[in-house]
Amino acid sequence: MTTISRMTVRIALTGLVIATGFAANAATDGDNKGGKMRHERPSFSTLDTDSNGALTREEMAAHAKVRFDKMDANSDGQLSADELGQAGKKRAQKRAAKMIERVDANDDGMISFEEMSSGKMGKRQSKMFDRIDADGNGSLSEDEFAKLGERRGGKNKRQKAGE
């Protein structure tokens, strides 16, 4: 294989991995944390298909292709908005089921406001508020609220602008 051919293959594989990452991010409505896409991470041994203790670009690209193919419901080699949406819905349903499992104190399969506001979630919300409340006065100023959007990568620009 010529150097140009190898480089073309590498570029194509890299593009596939990147495109699959964008597709996965779109499928979760851009739901990310710290810039990391939120999906079930495969184990190293799952990715290391030749079991040699090292991951190659080809093994990573093969995994990306499997994920892409799972989202490509009609097997046309392209992801439509509907296919991306379906993948996102499945992921959201899994997250919702896990949340109910963690938070549902009375085991009725539903979460009340009281259940959501107490326990771990209530403590987490309280800690978050305390972090945002920079001056510790128990309330958020417009400045403190605006900084929340900055910390989250500017996701709250509309709220910041007062829209």
Side-chain angles (χ1 to χ4, degrees):
M1 187 180 280
T2 68
T3 303
I4 293 174
S5 296
R6 274 189 235 130
M7 189 160 53
T8 303
V9 168
R10 285 183 181 154
I11 291 169
L13 288 173
T14 302
L16 178 62
V17 170
I18 291 169
T20 304
F22 283 127
N25 193 36
T28 60
D29 293 326
D31 179 22
N32 64 46
K33 189 170 192 167
K36 297 178 183 174
M37 285 172 250
R38 310 263 303 178
H39 61 276
E40 290 182 27
R41 184 177 170 183
S43 68
F44 184 89
S45 60
T46 299
L47 294 172
D48 185 18
T49 56
D50 61 7
S51 301
N52 70 350
L55 295 178
T56 63
R57 291 179 192 271
E58 290 77 15
E59 287 169 322
M60 296 294 289
H63 174 69
K65 178 70 170 127
V66 168
R67 288 188 57 226
F68 183 94
D69 289 346
K70 282 183 182 178
M71 289 189 285
D72 185 15
N74 64 1
S75 301
D76 67 353
Q78 299 179 349
L79 297 177
S80 67
D82 287 340
E83 288 168 326
L84 289 171
Q86 288 301 316
K89 285 179 188 176
K90 288 177 188 174
R91 212 169 269 121
Q93 288 172 336
K94 284 182 183 179
R95 282 194 307 264
K98 285 180 183 178
M99 181 178 177
I100 288 173
E101 189 177 302
R102 280 192 322 268
V103 178
D104 182 19
N106 63 3
D107 293 325
D108 66 354
M110 312 252 290
I111 300 175
S112 67
F113 181 74
E114 289 76 23
E115 288 170 321
M116 189 178 285
S117 302
S118 64
K120 285 183 180 180
M121 288 193 77
K123 288 177 187 175
R124 191 169 149 189
Q125 290 168 351
S126 181
K127 284 182 181 179
M128 184 185 303
F129 188 94
D130 291 344
R131 264 196 319 261
I132 299 164
D133 182 16
D135 60 12
N137 69 353
S139 63
L140 300 181
S141 67
E142 192 171 343
D143 252 3
E144 290 168 328
F145 186 76
K147 287 180 182 170
L148 169 66
E150 291 168 11
R151 285 186 198 160
R152 297 181 70 209
K155 289 183 183 179
N156 295 332
K157 287 182 182 174
R158 275 189 262 160
Q159 291 172 336
K160 216 163 97 174
E163 292 181 16

